[in-house]
Amino acid sequence: MINNRDEIIETIRMIEEENLDVRTITMGISLVDCIDNDIHKSCEKVYNKIYRYAKDLVKVGNEISKKYGIPIVNKRVSVTPISILVGVSGGDPVLYAKTLDKVAKDIGIDFIGGYSALVQKGFAPGDKELIDSIPRALNETSFVCSSVNVGSTRAGINLDAVKIMGQKVLEAAELSKDRECIAASKMVIFCNAVEDNPFMAGAFHGIGEADCVINVGVSGPGAVRAAVAKCPKDASISEIADVIKKTAFKVTRMGQLVGVEASKMLGVEFGIVDLSLAPTPAIGDSVAHILEEMGLEQCGGVGTTACLAILNDAVKKGGVMASSRVGGLSGAFIPVSEDQGMIDATKSGALCIEKLEAMTAVCSVGLDMIVIPGDTTPEVISALIADEAAIGMINSKTTAVRVIPAIGRKAGEELNFGGLLGHAPIMAIRPQSPKTFIDRGGQIPAPLNSLKN
Amino acid sequence: MKAIISVVGKDTVGILAAVATKCAEYKVNIQDVNQTIIDELFTMYMVVNLDNLTIEFTSFVDEIHKVGEEKNLKIECMHEDIFNLMHKI
């Protein structure tokens, strides 16, 4: 039964004018059976397995895109955290990064994630070596993304890892300072990282996952904004929440359709749909603009946290009904450099890092794509990570930090990454030293609410 | 199997004829045509039946895209499933 006229026009407008798209099809691949004592053999097996499983990913993505007339912006691969492989094989972990980079290039995907380590409760063999190599690995590759999980509600926060990651963020920016410090934009530090996240830079294929799965990340801030804009100015906030729910349902159905179709065509199990609102720098594709459409003068002012909480909750409620399997990060993203409304709010002074921190308590995921002054000390970055991880740990949610120190530049200047990563003005960060706190090291104990059994 | 052919952009002479000719060429049956102007933007859609389509669906989509390029319009051909799934529980 074909739909009525209004429904057909609504779908066409959502895609044509409101930037509705499937942000990513991400194939998760387990590398557990590639581990070898010899790092060169291990790398060879990694290359062969990823190539074998994902060689048709781009082709299938493009075919589905053509069949349904829906853009599928990215095709990506996520793999088992590489630290596990390093733990067995030893050797220079960057060899794995280069292998991942080569296979990504050969199969034509946009990003490959999983140059990762999970160290929330301590360092296993391979973890420290991998973490130490992250800046170099990201600087010497184009497609590889990296993430480190430093905390969880169950385990608490590994403050030693937090300290190291502050240094690594700065190192990555330093190494790539002649390329807008781009290496730092490809690393994420998590608390409560999820194992089936299809979004970069934080995607990795958890060890609890199947051999190979297809995960889909939907987008659609523009469609949500347009739906809210159609509501009268005196519509109650419950009505606004309902409108968002209905739009999220439609957006997610599209993601479900694409995921099921891709898994069928590739002969791979369907994993999850990640119900996320992921903005892009394109005009009209901004999460900040949804908040403004809800009734704020500008994103970042008082009321922003409340509006974001409503938006985040409504997206989940609408989306969950539309998909048989929901997972990943699922929520609204607030990456500053990728969202025109956030960029404008930063420039005008309405949005500051402390407000963003408050916003991360009510949405997915965290302090994302924020450019900070290049002279920020490593311990300030570490303490920022600790603050964010604490919000995640206490609230049993995923939080993350992806900040880019703009080496050689100060607050008010700008970094421009281009493409989906966008551009952003440098945001001031409080310089008061947390050095003694960070230098203490050790484990921040798991909170009382971790004891659920 | 059905699909929706949509045209969005500035109204010009001969759009309908060009799309209809292409449909006839590949034995695609037009079942419904609807057009409207929203915010000064011309939006037309056709419901078409593809049961007798003589080429692969994705190749037909390519042909339709070509018509769009020639006319300087955004023309899409989308499988009906996307509409049904988005609007029905």
Side-chain angles (χ1 to χ4, degrees):
Chain A
M1 177 63 198
I2 210 89
N3 303 58
N4 70 35
R5 172 178 173 272
D6 291 344
E7 289 171 349
I8 290 172
I9 289 176
E10 186 188 356
T11 300
I12 293 167
R13 283 176 67 98
M14 283 168 92
I15 296 168
E16 296 295 327
E17 293 167 46
E18 295 160 8
N19 300 307
L20 178 61
D21 57 43
V22 168
R23 181 54 45 82
T24 180
I25 300 183
T26 304
M27 179 183 270
I29 302 173
S30 170
L31 299 181
V32 171
D33 54 351
C34 300
I35 304 178
D36 196 288
N37 286 330
D38 178 339
I39 188 165
H40 297 288
K41 277 191 195 154
S42 201
C43 284
E44 191 186 328
K45 289 185 199 170
V46 165
Y47 181 93
N48 290 340
K49 181 162 185 185
I50 297 172
Y51 190 89
R52 194 167 73 245
Y53 280 44
K55 64 178 186 305
D56 290 332
L57 183 62
V58 173
K59 187 171 131 252
V60 164
N62 291 341
E63 273 175 27
I64 295 171
S65 185
K66 196 180 275 184
K67 180 172 177 187
Y68 296 107
I70 179 92
I72 299 172
V73 182
N74 277 299
K75 293 92 188 170
R76 302 164 171 170
V77 167
S78 65
V79 297
T80 307
I82 293 294
S83 67
I84 296 170
L85 283 73
V86 176
V88 179
S89 71
D92 181 5
V94 174
L95 287 176
Y96 285 109
K98 290 191 169 164
T99 305
L100 296 178
D101 205 48
K102 183 169 184 340
V103 72
K105 187 164 183 270
D106 291 351
I107 59 179
I109 55 171
D110 302 283
F111 283 114
I112 185 160
Y115 199 74
S116 307
L118 311 177
V119 295
Q120 59 270 29
K121 214 175 173 187
F123 301 97
D127 286 341
K128 274 193 172 157
E129 291 81 355
L130 180 116
I131 289 173
D132 195 50
S133 73
I134 290 173
R136 204 158 42 92
L138 296 182
N139 188 49
E140 291 176 19
T141 58
S142 304
F143 304 99
V144 176
C145 291
S146 173
S147 56
V148 175
N149 192 58
V150 297
S152 73
T153 303
R154 296 290 295 193
I157 298 167
N158 179 346
L159 199 57
D160 294 315
V162 169
K163 179 179 177 178
I164 298 171
M165 290 318 296
Q167 297 160 352
K168 294 297 154 194
V169 168
L170 210 51
E171 255 181 59
E174 277 280 358
L175 283 176
S176 55
K177 65 181 173 194
D178 52 345
R179 291 179 295 129
E180 302 294 275
C181 310
I182 189 88
S185 73
K186 293 185 283 179
M187 67 191 283
V188 187
I189 300 104
F190 274 118
C191 177
N192 289 324
V194 296
E195 300 201 330
D196 52 6
N197 164 25
F199 286 102
M200 295 296 172
F204 64 87
H205 187 70
I207 48 167
E209 294 283 311
D211 186 39
C212 185
V213 293
I214 287 289
N215 297 322
V216 171
V218 296
S219 180
V224 174
R225 192 203 60 78
V228 175
K230 283 187 200 120
C231 297
K233 288 288 170 224
D234 60 351
S236 81
I237 201 68
S238 321
E239 291 172 60
I240 301 287
D242 269 347
V243 165
I244 298 171
K245 274 197 300 197
K246 285 176 188 160
T247 312
F249 174 86
K250 293 168 190 168
V251 170
T252 309
R253 279 295 264 241
M254 189 191 67
Q256 168 83 11
L257 172 69
V258 168
V260 169
E261 187 88 6
S263 73
K264 213 191 308 170
M265 287 170 79
L266 290 160
V268 169
E269 193 182 329
F270 175 52
I272 55 96
V273 175
D274 188 320
L275 316 172
S276 285
L277 281 184
T280 68
I283 301 296
D285 209 19
S286 153
V287 167
H289 288 161
I290 303 175
L291 305 178
E292 289 164 10
E293 206 64 69
M294 287 167 82
L296 302 174
E297 184 187 341
Q298 192 166 26
C299 174
V302 286
T304 303
T305 313
C307 285
L308 183 58
I310 295 161
L311 172 66
N312 199 54
D313 184 61
V315 165
K316 286 186 221 172
K317 284 175 178 162
V320 82
M321 177 79 179
S323 172
S324 55
R325 297 176 82 173
V326 171
L329 298 168
S330 286
F333 293 168
I334 49 170
V336 176
S337 76
E338 300 172 11
D339 185 311
Q340 193 55 49
M342 299 271 175
I343 295 168
D344 294 340
T346 306
K347 279 184 179 161
S348 76
L351 185 63
C352 65
I353 210 161
E354 289 78 9
K355 188 62 183 178
L356 281 162
E357 184 181 322
M359 290 159 75
T360 65
V362 298
C363 79
S364 117
V365 173
L367 296 172
D368 196 11
M369 290 305 285
I370 297 171
V371 182
I372 56 174
D375 59 0
T376 308
T377 62
E379 43 289 353
V380 164
I381 299 174
S382 294
L384 189 72
I385 295 169
D387 280 346
E388 201 52 36
I391 290 173
M393 174 181 78
I394 296 293
N395 295 300
S396 305
K397 75 182 284 290
T398 307
T399 50
V401 171
R402 180 162 56 146
V403 292
I404 302 103
I407 304 301
R409 294 182 220 190
K410 292 202 160 24
E413 292 181 71
E414 205 176 91
L415 279 188
N416 192 349
F417 310 108
L420 275 184
L421 295 174
H423 66 103
I426 298 167
M427 217 176 230
I429 182 166
R430 291 173 200 274
Q432 289 80 5
S433 176
K435 189 167 187 319
T436 308
F437 162 58
I438 294 299
D439 282 348
R440 286 181 195 280
Q443 185 80 8
I444 298 179
L448 191 59
N449 60 6
S450 71
L451 302 173
K452 285 186 174 160
N453 292 344
Chain B
M1 174 185 137
K2 287 179 186 170
I4 308 286
I5 298 174
S6 67
V7 183
V8 180
K10 201 168 167 289
D11 195 7
T12 53
V13 175
I15 302 171
L16 194 60
V19 177
T21 307
K22 198 56 84 178
C23 287
E25 193 180 330
Y26 296 106
K27 299 210 183 309
V28 171
N29 186 28
I30 300 169
Q31 295 189 324
D32 188 15
V33 181
N34 212 309
Q35 72 174 62
T36 181
I37 302 210
I38 309 168
D39 302 334
E40 295 173 12
L41 206 64
F42 172 76
T43 310
M44 183 198 79
Y45 72 84
M46 286 175 174
V47 179
V48 297
N49 188 308
L50 303 164
D51 288 347
N52 300 319
L53 183 66
T54 52
I55 50 171
E56 282 286 314
F57 179 60
T58 49
S59 309
F60 179 65
V61 174
D62 285 335
E63 292 297 322
I64 289 292
H65 283 169
K66 273 186 214 157
V67 176
E69 283 159 27
E70 283 161 19
K71 294 269 170 197
N72 206 17
L73 284 165
K74 181 90 182 141
I75 305 188
E76 276 295 345
C77 180
M78 301 153 78
H79 193 284
E80 66 172 326
D81 280 356
I82 189 162
F83 298 92
N84 291 331
L85 277 168
M86 274 177 94
H87 298 281
K88 293 190 170 47
I89 293 176

